[in-house]
Amino acid sequence: MDYSRIINKYLPDIELFQANKPTLLIILGSFGDFDSFEYGQLISRKLEVLQELNINLVAIGIGSQESKIKFSNFTRLPHSFLFNVENNYLHNDLGLEDGYKYDLGPFFNLILMCTGFNSPGTLREVLRGYTGDKSSEAIFLKEETISLLPFFSIETSLFNRLRNNKSLRPFELASQRLINMVEVLSNWNKYVPINKFIVQRGATLLFNETEQLVYSYMPKSLLCFSETMDKPLEFIDSNLRNK
């Protein structure tokens, strides 16, 4: 598949490949999708690692220019790495899962995915958000106050009372997801200008310095943007660092 040609068909200004650099291409669903938020936040925390490996990062999501900017500001993933398309034609050309199992509208299909129906791994991932995961890294790495709801905040130091180490603590991921959900629902029309694409799934594609595809993952389920959710970027180590 000629990925560069497909990307440039919809986004002609993108330089997908740069000389002597690996490329990490992240195709998000809607900018208002839960997976998009988590993936964006993860990548923003790992930018130094990507820079150390000299990786060219390109992330594409569905939404307007306003959606992209708001997403960037909230997830702290810089604008320079983000691009927007206003429909899922690019996703279709790449053969990605559109999330439509039943012809009953996007919200019905989204509800089914949230309950794990036709979305294997979703309920397990929801549970992991509450139980924590000793094999995953902590999200809130410094002590701070986070707002879970408009009138309810907690100190992140409380998570240490449940597990005092640098791994993912109980309720930590669930708290991040609640924050993300409140942000999306409070600004729905900005993040999701067209509702029909809210169940569109994305992809992760890693190319080496010679523009060869060395890794790809195309999820079919909600909250499963990585093949290894406990270590979401493990594929970089196995395909670049250890080569």
Side-chain angles (χ1 to χ4, degrees):
M1 183 178 291
D2 189 343
Y3 292 98
S4 184
R5 180 187 62 79
I6 294 174
I7 298 299
N8 289 139
K9 176 181 176 182
Y10 300 99
L11 294 163
D13 295 332
I14 286 185
E15 185 180 359
L16 183 58
F17 300 117
Q18 296 181 10
N20 301 316
K21 277 191 171 187
T23 293
L24 175 58
L25 173 60
I26 297 173
I27 308 293
L28 304 170
S30 166
F31 280 117
D33 183 78
F34 296 139
D35 293 54
S36 299
F37 265 67
E38 281 190 39
Y39 210 168
Q41 289 164 327
L42 169 70
I43 294 298
S44 71
R45 296 196 300 269
K46 296 296 183 179
L47 281 178
E48 287 188 10
V49 174
L50 300 183
Q51 291 168 353
E52 288 173 3
L53 294 171
N54 200 32
I55 292 176
N56 174 41
L57 173 63
V58 175
I60 303 170
I62 301 174
S64 63
Q65 183 73 8
E66 182 182 20
S67 306
K68 183 190 79 171
I69 293 172
K70 192 160 185 63
F71 177 87
S72 172
N73 291 340
F74 188 81
T75 63
R76 299 180 183 177
L77 184 59
H79 302 177
S80 58
F81 301 119
L82 281 169
F83 302 87
N84 70 291
V85 289
E86 296 185 351
N87 50 55
N88 69 342
Y89 299 161
L90 166 62
H91 297 67
N92 289 339
D93 279 2
L94 292 173
L96 307 185
E97 172 65 46
D98 66 7
Y100 273 84
K101 301 298 182 183
Y102 300 98
D103 190 21
L104 295 170
F107 290 107
F108 180 80
N109 282 277
L110 180 61
I111 290 171
L112 289 179
M113 293 181 78
C114 289
T115 61
F117 194 76
N118 283 324
S119 187
T122 296
L123 294 182
R124 179 178 65 248
E125 187 57 26
V126 170
L127 181 62
R128 192 173 73 95
Y130 291 97
T131 61
D133 189 339
K134 292 182 179 180
S135 62
S136 296
E137 294 181 353
I139 295 171
F140 302 105
L141 302 178
K142 61 180 181 180
E143 292 189 8
E144 57 185 307
T145 301
I146 56 174
S147 298
L148 298 180
L149 295 168
F151 303 104
F152 179 64
S153 300
I154 66 169
E155 299 294 328
T156 57
S157 58
L158 289 175
F159 296 125
N160 289 330
R161 298 184 181 181
L162 301 172
R163 182 179 297 149
N164 189 16
N165 54 37
K166 294 183 179 180
S167 65
L168 186 68
R169 296 154 290 185
F171 295 99
E172 187 176 9
L173 180 54
S175 296
Q176 177 184 256
R177 288 172 175 165
L178 177 58
I179 294 169
N180 292 346
M181 182 177 68
V182 170
E183 170 67 13
V184 172
L185 295 180
S186 300
N187 300 278
W188 182 263
N189 291 334
K190 294 180 180 178
Y191 284 114
V192 190
I194 302 179
N195 292 332
K196 67 182 294 185
F197 304 124
I198 59 174
V199 288
Q200 176 66 58
R201 299 299 91 200
T204 296
L205 304 166
L206 181 65
F207 303 85
N208 64 16
E209 296 89 340
T210 60
E211 304 179 12
Q212 293 179 314
L213 181 67
V214 295
Y215 176 83
S216 66
Y217 175 64
M218 300 179 181
K220 298 183 181 299
S221 303
L222 185 69
L223 296 180
C224 298
F225 59 82
S226 171
E227 196 169 10
T228 52
M229 286 298 291
D230 58 335
K231 295 180 176 64
L233 299 183
E234 187 175 46
F235 66 91
I236 292 178
D237 282 338
S238 58
N239 288 282
L240 292 181
R241 275 182 164 166
N242 298 333
K243 294 296 182 181

